[in-house]
Amino acid sequence: MHFKKIISLLSIVLILFQFSAFSQDSSVVQWQATGKKIADGQYELTLTGTIKAGWHVYAKPNTAAALEGIGISFSDSSIQKNGDKQVTGNFKTITDKIFETQTEIVSDSFVVIQKINIAGAVPAQLKAMLLYNTANEVSFIPEEKKINISMEGGVDMSAGNRILISSIDLKKPVNACGGT
């Protein structure tokens, strides 16, 4: 009886190691991104995506399949998109087995260019969220990827920088509170 428990436990451990040995980065698209200054407070973001072999990306919107294409969002409200994004790459139209419709896809690699306006200080690393859909012959995977974009002329916004509010002076409080 004790021997059966040991064998069962050993089998479970081996199965778990098997899954971890074959695990890999699940992202179908690998990204590189830069931000180029074009004027004061205006930048051009260039996002280059490299797609795994055998996969494709639905980079442009397709209303028949309810696909929105590539979406870019920013958590900072001081960043505003300036115009529509431009997507370039080796596009081709296929009869998609998953959606059973004609759709335009890109494979291998592609480039997304988005112009933005930034109010205030420009960070050295801009955080962005990319939303897009990928597929191969049998699988459809919506991906969400957080990326950091290196910004030309950006300022390091690490913990050493503080906000100065001119109406607040900690050395001269409005009301005395606390110790002497």
Side-chain angles (χ1 to χ4, degrees):
M1 185 73 156
H2 184 63
F3 181 71
K4 288 183 180 179
K5 288 183 182 178
I6 292 174
I7 294 296
S8 297
L9 182 62
L10 184 61
S11 297
I12 291 171
V13 169
L14 288 175
I15 289 171
L16 291 175
F17 279 124
Q18 176 185 3
F19 287 124
S20 66
F22 289 109
S23 67
Q24 56 185 345
D25 182 17
S26 62
S27 183
V28 173
V29 181
Q30 298 300 317
W31 293 95
Q32 292 182 338
T34 58
K36 180 181 175 187
K37 185 174 184 174
I38 53 178
D40 281 344
Q42 294 182 350
Y43 284 80
E44 182 178 85
L45 304 180
T46 303
L47 312 169
T48 304
T50 305
I51 307 167
K52 283 185 181 177
W55 289 82
H56 58 265
V57 172
Y58 301 96
K60 293 184 179 176
N62 181 342
T63 54
L67 297 170
E68 296 180 10
I70 295 175
I72 305 170
S73 62
F74 307 98
S75 59
D76 189 345
S77 62
S78 68
I79 303 165
Q80 299 296 317
K81 295 178 186 175
N82 183 0
D84 294 331
K85 64 184 167 294
Q86 301 169 359
V87 182
T88 57
N90 186 18
F91 283 93
K92 61 183 174 182
T93 303
I94 63 166
T95 302
D96 196 338
K97 295 178 183 176
I98 295 172
F99 295 105
E100 298 176 353
T101 183
Q102 293 285 320
T103 188
E104 196 171 16
I105 61 155
V106 65
S107 56
D108 300 324
S109 67
F110 62 104
V111 176
V112 179
I113 296 175
Q114 175 70 61
K115 292 183 180 176
I116 61 169
N117 295 329
I118 300 177
V122 177
Q125 294 288 317
L126 179 67
K127 297 178 186 304
M129 176 70 75
L130 301 176
L131 299 168
Y132 52 95
N133 298 301
T134 63
N136 62 12
E137 291 293 320
V138 294
S139 299
F140 174 82
I141 301 175
E143 288 193 355
E144 181 176 294
K145 185 80 171 177
K146 292 180 182 178
I147 63 168
N148 289 326
I149 304 170
S150 299
M151 301 297 287
E152 179 184 330
V155 178
D156 185 15
M157 303 292 225
S158 60
N161 296 333
R162 296 184 173 207
I163 298 173
L164 176 63
I165 302 173
S166 60
S167 62
I168 298 175
D169 186 358
L170 296 177
K171 295 179 182 178
K172 296 179 186 175
V174 174
N175 295 322
C177 54
T180 56

